Amino acid sequence: MPIEEERTVVPDVPRGPLCAYRSKAQFNWKDFRLVLEDKELVKIKYDIWRRLESEPLFAPVTATLSVDQQKERAARQVNRIADLELAPPEIYSKPYKYRVRYLMSINEALHAVCPSLSVKIALGVGLFTNSLLAMGTERHQDTYNKAWNREIITCLAITEVSHGSNTKRCRTTATYDPSTQDFEAAKCWVGNLGKTASMALLFAILYTADGENHGLQGFLVPIRDPKTLLPYPGVTVGDIGEKIGLNGIDNGFVMFNNYRIPRENLLNRTGDVTPEGVYESTFSEPGKILGAVLESFSAGRLGIMQESSNTLSHAAVIAVRYAALRKQFGTDRNGPEQSIIEYQLHQWRIFPYLAAACVLKVSVFAMTEIYLETVQKSQAESNGFELLTQIVSEIHALVSSSKPLVTWTARDAIQESREACGGHGYLRAANLGELRNNHDPSCTYEGDNNVLGQQASNWLIRQWKNAKVESPV
Amino acid sequence: MPIEEERTVVPDVPRGPLCAYRSKAQFNWKDFRLVLEDKELVKIKYDIWRRLESEPLFAPVTATLSVDQQKERAARQVNRIADLELAPPEIYSKPYKYRVRYLMSINEALHAVCPSLSVKIALGVGLFTNSLLAMGTERHQDTYNKAWNREIITCLAITEVSHGSNTKRCRTTATYDPSTQDFEAAKCWVGNLGKTASMALLFAILYTADGENHGLQGFLVPIRDPKTLLPYPGVTVGDIGEKIGLNGIDNGFVMFNNYRIPRENLLNRTGDVTPEGVYESTFSEPGKILGAVLESFSAGRLGIMQESSNTLSHAAVIAVRYAALRKQFGTDRNGPEQSIIEYQLHQWRIFPYLAAACVLKVSVFAMTEIYLETVQKSQAESNGFELLTQIVSEIHALVSSSKPLVTWTARDAIQESREACGGHGYLRAANLGELRNNHDPSCTYEGDNNVLGQQASNWLIRQWKNAKVESPV
């Protein structure tokens, strides 16, 4: 495609006071934009933003809504997004990598508009269906379809009050009762959708009637009637309350009191319980396999990094634009004042984050490519699942070291940008407060940054040990 | 006083799960508390907290109020505080240092309960009356009394849309008209009290009828009728909108259209305009004197440092207590889990902030002592005002280097504490989000931290130059 035509993918910026600085650029900024991001993906995003501009439900709000209003708005947006069919049906017949890239770009576009919405969809649709695909079998296809078509709102219930990082020690148990062919489960905490979810993909320790512990397993657990949203008997469910940000998401708690679910609700891709109550694993090391399955969460971490690098750009651009327009002091006491972007101190404060925004966008893009190609390759090969488990620890180490880097850099960029915009940066209208409050949990969820850093270090030490063993000395 | 009796100043902590760790201490924590802060001042604070505990208007809110509700609440609190007479009348006959220390402790106590309230009082009562005292004369006594007794709500109007740090270039002018003995003033921005203030202490460039510019001067400018709170004709005033935090304070804008104020409203301690329109200064260098007067703002910066060091303690204590109670993983995979405070990584993350909280509390206390003693000495001597102007640049340099240190350390402590408390730290109930949003402007107001840092460096370079000139080499 000729370069002139490629540039039309990126719309012009409105003319205004920034033109003076923009006209000094020694390169075409649209070309630069297309270096940072793939042209096709840029096009997907702008198309979505154009469509959402005419949707009142997605118009910016000028004052912080109440927590309940934020939740209602996000829930309505999820439904409206389903109607809008942002993903054209034909992408589902395309190869894995193409399809996931497309969906990731939709997520990025939505995240830039409404962070709560994108997280709500990512957890309730993306993460749920991906996990179901990885852990379930054909008997869970109906639930998969309903979640994908937004007929049911879903959530992923892993974390408990006392167990976040240490999932292996979670206390929720599911005991199989051969007489009724049901499981019993007890007490769990914080899924995603504590006000509206009708179905949870819940992790619990599986016990068979003989008292044997079969480790953490996934279960489909109906929470509420999808029509009335009233909880089923035996389920106590509610919202955990106001958060610092992302209040559009209704994080909830759920407790089970002798609550029974059918045997078929066990996600049985790697092992199953027979009607008689015998646990049968299709793999020799089901624990390891579960690790691989949980690795589908790497996609979630990549999504967070994509969102974070966008947030970083967002903050840096606010600070740079403000610095170009804001004048204060000057070389001559009584002469014209000077844009603060001209001051070395100010450049030293904000330019590194502008550079980081570019570097991290490119590197997160590259890392996503590697991840998607690996998964695609594993799907194409007969021993694909095993292939994936072999390299899963390397991908995990890469993602575990990168997610802290990207999210912490974005965190610091937002703060420096807020301060660099002075009092005006403290106005809600500057958007830096919203960016900070909504970005904040990225340092914690899908793996606490410090814990992830240790996992990456652990992997590195293992490599060193292996290399030492193999070396002839 | 025997040590046992001294300890009664600090109330006991409630018994609970933290007792196990507390009982391991090798020192008495109450004694340590009294090392960090003067016993008398600790007593003042606890007395205030005890009194406020029975006041419904000061009860903690469990969900974020709307911006308007926050403003209404803070305004009601200001009135209620006046009724409560937290400062006993006898302190006003005590020496300067004693009196100001007492008032500073009240401010610290209120800040810990309601940050918006303390800022509202600090700006509308403390800063206003202090500035009036420094810049005004006996003809402004009536306004002083009304502000002190909360009969009028006041604000300090310095900043403009385009001028924050560079106050010398502010565009608001006041021109004296000898025919009516009035000033005219035009356009100003952001005082403190944009919804309720009836009187502003406003800084504007003074022009006499001959067109001569007499620099930045202070004026008392009536804004609204104190009974109806309706703005006076010629005054356009309103709220600047939602902020990231401190929404209890109604930051406002005000514009003047040929608005006239009487000649006597000029704050004339350092210079005055005669009825005929001649400017007469009582000092040879009124510009320098204004600098000294503005130095009364050092008290404001010290107040910010006191508040910041308290905020830092507050955040560090939340993180340390959580770390003592929160258990996750352990040395034995299936054995008991271990408090996260036992992990080196976690200690490395939060203990430095605990240490910083102690160090900064002590150093801010010491710096406040030096400041108050200096001012008290200058008041006692006949050439006191000149004495003060001589050392003002040294105090300014001290405060300008310390305010960034304290406020940035507090900022980082809040963030690290938020992350160290994981998802629970992201709940509003943990209070870390409120601390962050309310503390944030400390890095900007009363002198942007980066600008203050440069002022301190500037002073240091001057010392070096002077030393070089004086040295025999």
Side-chain angles (χ1 to χ4, degrees):
Chain A
M1 200 191 283
I3 194 152
E4 290 299 332
E5 200 176 318
E6 286 201 348
R7 286 175 185 160
T8 60
V9 171
V10 184
D12 292 330
V13 286
R15 291 198 60 78
L18 285 168
C19 287
Y21 270 108
R22 285 192 172 129
S23 66
K24 291 183 187 171
Q26 290 175 15
F27 58 89
N28 185 296
W29 71 271
K30 291 189 178 183
D31 297 346
F32 185 60
R33 180 81 167 82
L34 297 175
V35 168
L36 292 179
E37 276 188 282
D38 182 85
K39 191 178 74 242
E40 295 305 322
L41 303 181
V42 170
K43 198 171 168 309
I44 293 169
K45 290 193 196 176
Y46 278 111
D47 284 346
I48 290 175
W49 289 330
R50 248 188 303 268
R51 290 185 65 186
L52 294 184
E53 265 172 12
S54 57
E55 295 280 329
L57 199 53
F58 295 88
V61 288
T62 52
T64 303
L65 301 174
S66 76
V67 166
D68 280 344
Q69 286 171 326
Q70 289 181 55
K71 289 199 202 319
E72 186 186 332
R73 189 176 141 94
R76 283 182 192 279
Q77 286 174 335
V78 169
N79 284 336
R80 183 66 190 139
I81 287 292
D83 297 342
L84 288 174
E85 288 188 338
L86 298 179
E90 60 267 25
I91 69 161
Y92 297 104
S93 53
K94 292 282 174 77
Y96 169 83
K97 190 183 145 197
Y98 179 92
R99 185 174 75 242
V100 177
R101 265 289 186 203
Y102 204 109
L103 296 173
M104 281 176 159
S105 295
I106 294 178
N107 177 65
E108 284 187 61
L110 294 182
H111 180 261
V113 180
C114 310
S116 279
L117 169 67
S118 91
V119 176
K120 207 171 166 73
I121 293 178
L123 290 174
V125 185
L127 205 53
F128 180 88
T129 53
N130 274 343
S131 306
L132 203 52
L133 212 55
M135 300 163 66
T137 54
E138 62 289 340
R139 73 189 188 201
H140 308 111
Q141 186 65 42
D142 181 51
T143 303
Y144 180 94
N145 293 344
K146 281 182 177 160
W148 190 257
N149 300 327
R150 241 65 52 98
E151 286 168 44
I152 54 171
I153 303 278
T154 64
C155 64
L156 220 70
I158 307 171
T159 307
E160 300 181 357
V161 178
S162 4
H163 291 95
S165 297
N166 194 1
T167 49
K168 287 203 183 83
R169 292 296 288 270
C170 91
R171 295 180 189 170
T172 306
T173 59
T175 306
Y176 183 66
D177 178 350
S179 67
T180 57
Q181 304 198 1
D182 283 350
F183 290 105
E184 269 182 42
K187 201 174 149 199
C188 178
W189 199 67
V190 182
N192 177 39
L193 312 175
K195 279 207 168 186
T196 47
S198 50
M199 179 71 80
L201 195 167
L202 181 142
F203 287 80
I205 311 283
L206 169 65
Y207 284 92
T208 36
D210 55 10
E212 204 185 332
N213 174 333
H214 300 281
L216 211 56
Q217 303 281 347
F219 299 84
L220 283 179
V221 181
I223 303 290
R224 295 181 175 93
D225 183 318
K227 297 266 181 269
T228 63
L229 289 188
L230 290 174
Y232 292 117
V235 176
T236 306
V237 60
D239 195 273
I240 59 163
E242 186 173 349
K243 302 178 299 288
I244 291 178
L246 292 182
N247 277 303
I249 305 167
D250 48 329
N251 292 73
F253 64 87
V254 61
M255 290 184 292
F256 302 102
N257 185 13
N258 287 324
Y259 188 63
R260 288 172 173 267
I261 54 170
R263 187 181 69 91
E264 291 75 18
N265 286 24
L266 170 66
L267 302 180
N268 59 331
R269 182 152 177 194
T270 59
D272 204 352
V273 174
T274 64
E276 296 71 31
V278 178
Y279 182 75
E280 288 179 347
S281 169
T282 41
F283 294 94
S284 53
E285 288 183 281
K288 266 205 176 160
I289 297 299
L290 181 75
V293 167
L294 285 174
E295 198 41 49
S296 68
F297 293 137
S298 277
R301 292 185 187 132
L302 283 166
I304 288 173
M305 284 191 259
Q306 289 158 1
E307 293 169 1
S308 260
S309 66
N310 291 337
T311 299
L312 169 48
S313 313
H314 197 147
V317 164
I318 292 170
V320 169
R321 287 183 182 167
Y322 180 79
L325 295 180
R326 175 74 172 179
K327 294 178 183 203
Q328 207 81 174
F329 301 102
T331 41
D332 175 5
R333 224 183 175 114
N334 300 306
E337 289 186 290
Q338 164 165 300
S339 291
I340 58 175
I341 203 172
E342 302 293 345
Y343 291 100
Q344 281 179 326
L345 173 65
H346 210 79
Q347 295 172 357
W348 175 78
R349 290 171 68 186
I350 59 177
F351 286 1
Y353 291 114
L354 194 63
C358 300
V359 170
L360 292 178
K361 266 198 94 65
V362 171
S363 72
V364 170
F365 183 89
M367 206 181 316
T368 307
E369 287 288 303
I370 294 170
Y371 172 77
L372 294 178
E373 274 164 18
T374 308
V375 176
Q376 182 158 293
K377 203 172 155 202
S378 80
Q379 289 179 345
E381 299 188 18
S382 58
N383 63 342
F385 203 71
E386 275 144 56
L387 178 80
L388 194 58
T389 56
Q390 278 164 27
I391 53 163
V392 91
S393 70
E394 186 167 347
I395 286 186
H396 181 68
L398 255 179
V399 168
S400 298
S401 53
S402 306
K403 188 219 154 199
L405 175 74
V406 178
T407 54
W408 274 335
T409 308
R411 171 198 71 182
D412 295 343
I414 297 167
Q415 185 61 30
E416 192 66 55
S417 299
R418 201 303 284 155
E419 293 179 30
C421 292
H424 294 145
Y426 194 58
L427 284 175
R428 182 187 187 278
N431 205 31
L432 292 162
E434 293 284 295
L435 285 180
R436 186 171 66 193
N437 288 338
N438 291 329
H439 174 267
D440 196 19
S442 308
C443 303
T444 300
Y445 57 31
E446 296 282 316
D448 172 84
N449 278 3
N450 284 284
V451 174
L452 288 183
Q454 288 189 315
Q455 294 191 359
S457 319
N458 196 15
W459 182 83
L460 278 172
I461 291 169
R462 273 209 311 278
Q463 302 316 303
W464 183 68
K465 277 186 185 158
N466 292 347
K468 242 176 93 176
V469 169
E470 284 162 20
S471 86
V473 182
Chain B
M1 199 189 285
I3 194 152
E4 289 300 331
E5 199 175 319
E6 288 201 347
R7 286 177 186 159
T8 61
V9 170
V10 184
D12 292 331
V13 286
R15 291 199 59 80
L18 285 167
C19 288
Y21 271 107
R22 284 192 173 129
S23 66
K24 292 184 186 168
Q26 292 175 13
F27 58 90
N28 185 297
W29 72 271
K30 291 189 179 183
D31 297 346
F32 185 61
R33 180 82 168 82
L34 297 175
V35 167
L36 293 179
E37 274 188 284
D38 181 87
K39 191 179 71 242
E40 295 305 322
L41 303 181
V42 170
K43 199 173 168 310
I44 294 169
K45 289 192 198 177
Y46 278 111
D47 284 346
I48 290 175
W49 289 329
R50 249 187 304 268
R51 291 185 63 185
L52 294 184
E53 266 173 9
S54 58
E55 295 280 329
L57 200 52
F58 296 87
V61 288
T62 52
T64 304
L65 301 174
S66 76
V67 166
D68 280 345
Q69 285 170 326
Q70 288 181 57
K71 289 197 202 322
E72 187 187 331
R73 187 176 142 96
R76 285 182 191 280
Q77 286 174 335
V78 169
N79 285 336
R80 183 67 190 137
I81 287 293
D83 297 342
L84 289 174
E85 287 188 339
L86 299 179
E90 60 267 24
I91 70 161
Y92 297 104
S93 53
K94 293 282 174 78
Y96 169 82
K97 191 183 143 196
Y98 179 92
R99 185 174 74 242
V100 176
R101 264 289 185 204
Y102 204 109
L103 296 173
M104 281 177 158
S105 295
I106 295 179
N107 177 66
E108 284 187 62
L110 294 182
H111 179 262
V113 180
C114 311
S116 280
L117 169 67
S118 93
V119 177
K120 207 170 166 75
I121 292 177
L123 290 173
V125 184
L127 205 54
F128 180 88
T129 53
N130 273 344
S131 305
L132 202 52
L133 212 55
M135 301 163 66
T137 54
E138 62 288 341
R139 74 188 188 201
H140 308 111
Q141 188 64 41
D142 181 51
T143 304
Y144 180 94
N145 295 343
K146 282 182 176 159
W148 191 256
N149 300 326
R150 241 64 50 98
E151 288 169 43
I152 53 171
I153 302 278
T154 63
C155 63
L156 220 70
I158 307 172
T159 307
E160 301 182 356
V161 178
S162 4
H163 291 96
S165 298
N166 194 1
T167 48
K168 288 203 182 82
R169 293 296 288 271
C170 91
R171 294 177 188 172
T172 307
T173 59
T175 306
Y176 183 67
D177 179 348
S179 67
T180 56
Q181 303 197 1
D182 283 350
F183 291 105
E184 270 182 41
K187 198 173 150 200
C188 180
W189 199 70
V190 182
N192 178 38
L193 309 176
K195 279 207 168 184
T196 47
S198 50
M199 179 70 81
L201 196 167
L202 180 143
F203 286 81
I205 310 284
L206 169 65
Y207 283 94
T208 37
D210 56 9
E212 205 184 331
N213 174 334
H214 300 282
L216 211 56
Q217 303 281 348
F219 299 84
L220 283 180
V221 181
I223 303 289
R224 295 181 175 90
D225 184 319
K227 296 267 181 268
T228 64
L229 289 188
L230 289 175
Y232 291 118
V235 176
T236 307
V237 61
D239 194 273
I240 60 163
E242 185 174 350
K243 302 178 298 290
I244 290 177
L246 292 182
N247 276 304
I249 304 166
D250 47 328
N251 291 74
F253 63 88
V254 60
M255 290 186 291
F256 302 102
N257 184 14
N258 287 324
Y259 188 63
R260 288 172 173 267
I261 54 171
R263 187 181 68 91
E264 291 75 18
N265 286 24
L266 171 66
L267 301 180
N268 58 332
R269 179 150 181 197
T270 60
D272 205 353
V273 175
T274 65
E276 296 72 32
V278 179
Y279 182 76
E280 288 179 346
S281 169
T282 40
F283 295 92
S284 53
E285 289 183 279
K288 266 204 177 159
I289 298 299
L290 180 75
V293 167
L294 285 174
E295 199 40 49
S296 68
F297 292 137
S298 277
R301 291 185 188 131
L302 284 166
I304 288 173
M305 283 190 262
Q306 290 158 0
E307 293 169 1
S308 262
S309 64
N310 292 336
T311 299
L312 169 48
S313 313
H314 196 148
V317 164
I318 293 170
V320 168
R321 288 183 181 169
Y322 180 79
L325 295 179
R326 175 75 172 178
K327 294 179 182 200
Q328 207 80 175
F329 301 102
T331 41
D332 175 6
R333 228 190 173 108
N334 300 306
E337 289 187 290
Q338 159 164 304
S339 291
I340 59 175
I341 203 173
E342 303 292 345
Y343 291 99
Q344 281 180 327
L345 172 65
H346 211 78
Q347 295 173 356
W348 174 79
R349 288 171 69 186
I350 59 178
F351 286 1
Y353 291 114
L354 194 64
C358 301
V359 170
L360 292 177
K361 268 199 92 66
V362 171
S363 72
V364 170
F365 183 88
M367 207 182 314
T368 307
E369 288 289 301
I370 295 171
Y371 173 78
L372 294 177
E373 274 164 18
T374 308
V375 175
Q376 182 159 292
K377 202 173 157 200
S378 79
Q379 289 179 345
E381 298 189 17
S382 58
N383 64 341
F385 203 71
E386 274 144 57
L387 177 82
L388 194 58
T389 56
Q390 278 165 27
I391 53 160
V392 92
S393 70
E394 188 167 344
I395 286 186
H396 181 68
L398 255 178
V399 169
S400 297
S401 52
S402 306
K403 188 217 154 203
L405 176 72
V406 179
T407 55
W408 275 334
T409 308
R411 172 197 71 181
D412 296 343
I414 298 166
Q415 185 62 32
E416 193 63 56
S417 299
R418 202 302 286 155
E419 293 179 30
C421 293
H424 294 147
Y426 194 58
L427 282 175
R428 182 187 187 280
N431 205 31
L432 292 162
E434 293 284 293
L435 285 180
R436 185 171 67 193
N437 287 339
N438 291 328
H439 174 267
D440 196 20
S442 308
C443 302
T444 299
Y445 58 30
E446 294 284 315
D448 172 84
N449 278 4
N450 285 284
V451 174
L452 288 182
Q454 288 189 316
Q455 294 190 0
S457 319
N458 196 15
W459 181 83
L460 279 172
I461 290 169
R462 272 208 313 278
Q463 303 316 303
W464 184 69
K465 277 185 185 159
N466 293 346
K468 243 176 92 177
V469 168
E470 284 161 21
S471 87
V473 180

